[in-house]
C-alpha cells in the first residue's frame, strides 16, 4: 500500500491545503511532520471554509486519524483554541481522532517574545518570521532545553525542564532588554494547559507502525515549501525546519521506505512572502495582476505575497531534493487571459548560464532569469475537470512545465473548490 507525502515545491502557499484535503478523503491517517501553527491551510468543503494552522487537514473528515508528529513544534494554548474553533464549526475532535507525539517540543510564550524582539532589532536583515516562536522552539529542541509533551505529565520533570530553559533564556532576555521570565507563572500556566493536551499524547511512531502493518494509507502533510527548507532553501530567509519529503520519516518516526509516493505541490506561477531572493519576481502590471487574480495574501499573516513568472529551474531543483514523483499543478486559472506567459528555464550569472540556483546568497541575488515565452489563452480554465475543457495553449503550457522540470503532472487544480481538479495519476495507487 502506497503512502503519500505532500510537500510544497516552491516558497509555500502553493495550495497544499486543497490537495491535502482531496487526498485525505482517500487516506486513513493524516500526519503533520514539521513546522508549527505558521502553516495556515485553507480548506473549502461544501462551501464551508476551514482555516487550519496547527491541526492536520484530516480533522475535518470523519473517521480519520490525524497525527501531530514529533517534527512539529506545538503551541499548546494555540492548539486548544484552534480545536475549540473547529469544534464550533461542528467538527468532532477526540483522542481517537487526534494524536500528538509525546516527543513533540512545545512552543512557550517566551519563544514568541524572543522571535519578535529579535526580528525588531534585526532591521538590517529581517528573516520575515511570523513571530509565533516557532524558530526559537526549534533552537531549544536542538539546544536540548525544550519542554516536550510527555514532560507535562510529571511535575518534577516539568520543574527541572523549565529551570534548565530559564538559565538560557533569562541570560538572552537580559541582553535583549527583556524582563526575566516569571518561573512560577510559567509553571502554573503549563500545569493548567497540561490536562487539555495530555489526552491526545501518544507514542505516534508505534501507532503509525501498527497502521502500516494493517495496510492503512498514511498521508504526510507538509507545510511551507522546499525553498524555505532550513538546509536547501534560500538561507537565511527560510523556515526553521526541514520541510522536504525526507522529513516525513524523521518527523513522525517511520523509516524512509514507509514514506512512499512524494507529491510536490507547484503553483503555475511563483510567489514568495517576506524577504529573500526571488529571481522571477515581477514589479510590473503582470505581477500586480497575478497577485490580484490569485488573491495572494497570506492566510496566517495577511501579508501581500510577491509574485512572478513560473521558475522551472527552481522547481526542477526542488523536485530532485524532495524526490518528487509527480506534481499537483495549482492555480492554472490565475493565468487565464494573459497574452504571453514566461517561464524561467535557467539563470545568467556573470556571463555564464546556470541550470540551478547556486547556494551563495550574493550569487542568488545576482542571478537573472533566462525566459522562454509561450502564448497565453483568452478562454477560461477556471473550474475545468478534464483535459478536454482546457484551451490548447493551456495544455501546451502544462506540457512544457512537465518537460522543463522533468516531472509529470499527477493532478491539476483549476479553482479553490475541491472537485475542480483534473486527476492524471492517483498518488495512492501503487
Ligand atoms: P497552502 O499553504 O499551500 O495550503 O496554500 P494557501 O491555502 O495559503 O493558498 C492557497 C489559496 O489558493 C487558498 O485560498 C486556496 O483556496 C486557493 N487555491 C488553491 N488551489 C487553487 C486553484 O487551483 N485556483 C485558484 N484560483 N485558487 C486556488
Amino acid at each position: 500500500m502506497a503512502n503519500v507525502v505532500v510537500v510544497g515545491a516552491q516558497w509555500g502557499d502553493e495550495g497544499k491545503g486543497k490537495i491535502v484535503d482531496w487526498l485525505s478523503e482517500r487516506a486513513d491517517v493524516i500526519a503533520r511532520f514539521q513546522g508549527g501553527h505558521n502553516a495556515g491551510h485553507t480548506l473549502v468543503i461544501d462551501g464551508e471554509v476551514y482555516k487550519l494552522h496547527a491541526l492536520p487537514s484530516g480533522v475535518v473528515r470523519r473517521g480519520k486519524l490525524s497525527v501531530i508528529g514529533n517534527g512539529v513544534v506545538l503551541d499548546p494554548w494555540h492548539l486548544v483554541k484552534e480545536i475549540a474553533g473547529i469544534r464550533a464549526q461542528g467538527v468532532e475532535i477526540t483522542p481517537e481522532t487526534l494524536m500528538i507525539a509525546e516527543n513533540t517540543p512545545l512552543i512557550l510564550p517566551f519563544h514568541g517574545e524572543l522571535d519578535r524582539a529579535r526580528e525588531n532589532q534585526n532591521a538590517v536583515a529581517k528573516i520575515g518570521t511570523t513571530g509565533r516562536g516557532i524558530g526559537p522552539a526549534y533552537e531549544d529542541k536542538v539546544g536540548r532545553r525544550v519542554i516536550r509533551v510527555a514532560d507535562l505529565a510529571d511535575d518534577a520533570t516539568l520543574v527541572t525542564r523549565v529551570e534548565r530553559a530559564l538559565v538560557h533564556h533569562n541570560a538572552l532576555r537580559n541582553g535583549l532588554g527583556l524582563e526575566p521570565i516569571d518561573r512560577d507563572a510559567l509553571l502554573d500556566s503549563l500545569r493548567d494547559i497540561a490536562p487539555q493536551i495530555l489526552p491526545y499524547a501518544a507514542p505516534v511512531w508505534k501507532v503509525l507502525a501498527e497502521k502500516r502493518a494493517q495496510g492503512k494509507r498514511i498521508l504526510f502533510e507538509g507545510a511551507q515549501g522546499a525553498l524555505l527548507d532550513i538546509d536547501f532553501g534560500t538561507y537565511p530567509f527560510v523556515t526553521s525546519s526541514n520541510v522536504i519529503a525526507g522529513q516525513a520519516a524523521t518527523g513522525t518516526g517511520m523509516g524512509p521506505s514507509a514514506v512512499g509516493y512524494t507529491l510536490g505541490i507547484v503553483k503555475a506561477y511563483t510567489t514568495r512572502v517576506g524577504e529573500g531572493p526571488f529571481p522571477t519576481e515581477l514589479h510590473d502590471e503582470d505581477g500586480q495582476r497575478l497577485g490580484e487574480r490569485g488573491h495572494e495574501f497570506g492566510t496566517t499573516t495577511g501579508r501581500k505575497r510577491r509574485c512572478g513568472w513560473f521558475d522551472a529551474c527552481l522547481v526542477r531543483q526542488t523536485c530532485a531534493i524532495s524526490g518528487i514523483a509527480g506534481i499537483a499543478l495549482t492555480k492554472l486559472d490565475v493565468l487565464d487571459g494573459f497574452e504571453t506567459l514566461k517561464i524561467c528555464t535557467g539563470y545568467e550569472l556573470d556571463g555564464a548560464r546556470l541550470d540551478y540556483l547556486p547556494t551563495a546568497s550574493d550569487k542568488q541575488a545576482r542571478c537573472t532569469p533566462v525566459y522562454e515565452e509561450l502564448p497565453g489563452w483568452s478562454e477560461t480554465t477556471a473550474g475545468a475537470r478534464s483535459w478536454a475543457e482546457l484551451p490548447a495553449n493551456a495544455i501546451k503550457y502544462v506540457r512544457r512545465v512537465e518537460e522543463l522540470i522533468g516531472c509529470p503532472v499527477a493532478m491539476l487544480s483549476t479553482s479553490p473548490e475541491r472537485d475542480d481538479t483534473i486527476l492524471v495519476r492517483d498518488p495512492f495507487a501503487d
Side-chain angles (χ1 to χ4, degrees):
M1 188 72 69
N3 296 323
V4 174
V5 190
V6 169
V7 286
Q10 291 156 317
W11 275 291
D13 311 312
E14 297 94 347
K16 290 180 294 295
K18 168 181 160 168
I19 303 293
V20 163
D21 177 52
W22 196 93
L23 288 166
S24 68
E25 201 175 27
R26 290 146 193 253
D28 302 298
V29 181
I30 296 93
R32 282 277 313 266
F33 56 86
Q34 52 75 222
H37 56 304
N38 52 348
H41 286 175
T42 309
L43 309 179
V44 185
I45 304 173
D46 298 332
E48 178 87 13
V49 179
Y50 300 95
K51 296 210 168 191
L52 301 174
H53 297 291
L55 288 167
S57 300
V59 294
V60 296
R61 305 215 150 272
R62 276 173 199 281
K64 313 283 180 191
L65 171 63
S66 287
V67 162
I68 295 179
N70 56 280
V72 168
V73 283
L74 184 71
D75 179 331
W77 296 275
H78 170 88
L79 185 77
V80 165
K81 265 195 224 145
E82 192 172 321
I83 290 175
I86 294 293
R87 277 197 183 128
Q89 287 186 276
V91 176
E92 212 182 324
I93 299 177
T94 67
E96 280 69 50
T97 62
L98 175 69
M99 290 185 188
I100 306 171
E102 294 165 312
N103 48 347
T104 303
L106 297 181
I107 303 172
L108 301 184
F110 60 75
H111 289 131
E113 283 175 53
L114 180 59
D115 228 353
R116 295 186 292 273
R118 284 196 304 215
E119 193 81 354
N120 290 339
Q121 295 212 341
N122 204 4
V124 188
K126 274 188 191 295
I127 301 295
T129 83
T130 51
R132 296 180 179 215
I134 292 159
Y138 275 118
E139 288 170 36
D140 278 2
K141 169 181 172 171
V142 178
R144 289 160 292 186
R145 57 177 171 264
V146 90
I147 292 148
R148 310 200 297 178
V149 167
D151 301 332
L152 294 173
D154 179 65
D155 202 65
T157 309
L158 192 60
V159 170
T160 313
R161 292 275 195 273
V162 164
E163 281 174 354
R164 188 180 165 85
L166 294 202
V167 170
H168 174 85
H169 280 278
N170 280 336
L172 199 54
R173 290 169 71 92
N174 188 28
L176 288 165
L178 297 173
E179 292 287 303
I181 296 159
D182 183 336
R183 172 191 177 276
D184 294 338
L186 175 62
L187 276 167
D188 283 347
S189 57
L190 283 165
R191 288 173 186 134
D192 272 356
I193 203 76
Q196 298 186 69
I197 296 294
L198 286 169
Y200 303 102
V204 154
W205 64 270
K206 188 167 182 290
V207 173
L208 291 182
E210 285 160 9
K211 295 286 180 190
R212 194 181 174 209
Q214 293 161 9
K216 302 288 188 199
R217 293 169 155 184
I218 304 166
L219 176 66
F220 298 92
E221 175 185 358
Q224 290 95 33
L227 295 166
L228 295 171
D229 183 89
I230 185 78
D231 287 304
F232 292 100
T234 43
Y235 194 91
F237 304 104
V238 292
T239 197
S240 39
S241 59
N242 283 115
V243 309
I244 57 176
Q247 174 65 15
T250 43
T252 58
M254 294 194 93
S257 61
V259 163
Y261 183 92
T262 300
L263 181 73
I265 315 299
V266 177
K267 206 182 288 201
Y269 49 99
T270 314
T271 62
R272 158 158 219 172
V273 173
E275 318 285 317
F278 179 177
T280 62
E281 182 172 15
L282 291 169
H283 298 284
D284 59 7
E285 269 173 32
D286 286 336
Q288 188 76 16
R289 182 162 169 188
L290 286 171
E292 281 166 15
R293 288 188 52 93
H295 303 290
E296 297 298 351
F297 299 93
T299 316
T300 303
T301 57
R303 277 185 288 191
K304 197 166 182 281
R305 297 174 185 147
R306 297 154 65 191
C307 297
W309 295 120
F310 185 74
D311 192 335
C313 186
L314 272 185
V315 174
R316 188 165 61 230
Q317 186 161 334
T318 56
C319 281
I321 291 166
S322 257
I324 289 171
I327 65 161
L329 191 66
T330 64
K331 300 189 116 171
L332 184 69
D333 53 296
V334 173
L335 300 182
D336 290 354
F338 277 92
E339 203 165 306
T340 306
L341 298 165
K342 288 186 186 176
I343 298 183
C344 170
T345 57
Y347 309 110
E348 241 171 47
L349 178 67
D350 306 333
R353 264 303 268 279
L354 283 184
D355 64 356
Y356 70 101
L357 188 71
T359 301
S361 298
D362 64 308
K363 289 187 179 155
Q364 289 183 346
R366 280 184 291 115
C367 275
T368 55
V370 176
Y371 285 117
E372 172 177 305
E373 287 196 3
L374 279 86
W377 52 91
S378 53
E379 305 91 325
T380 177
T381 64
R385 295 182 182 189
S386 71
W387 290 100
E389 292 172 60
L390 295 181
N393 282 349
I395 297 177
K396 275 190 201 146
Y397 183 84
V398 175
R399 293 294 177 228
R400 191 63 187 136
V401 164
E402 288 180 314
E403 271 169 19
L404 287 169
I405 66 172
C407 195
V409 166
M411 298 170 82
L412 195 62
S413 167
T414 57
S415 103
E417 278 297 324
R418 206 162 64 87
D419 295 326
D420 292 339
T421 305
I422 302 174
L423 180 67
V424 181
R425 183 210 192 271
D426 181 351
F428 275 116
D430 288 312

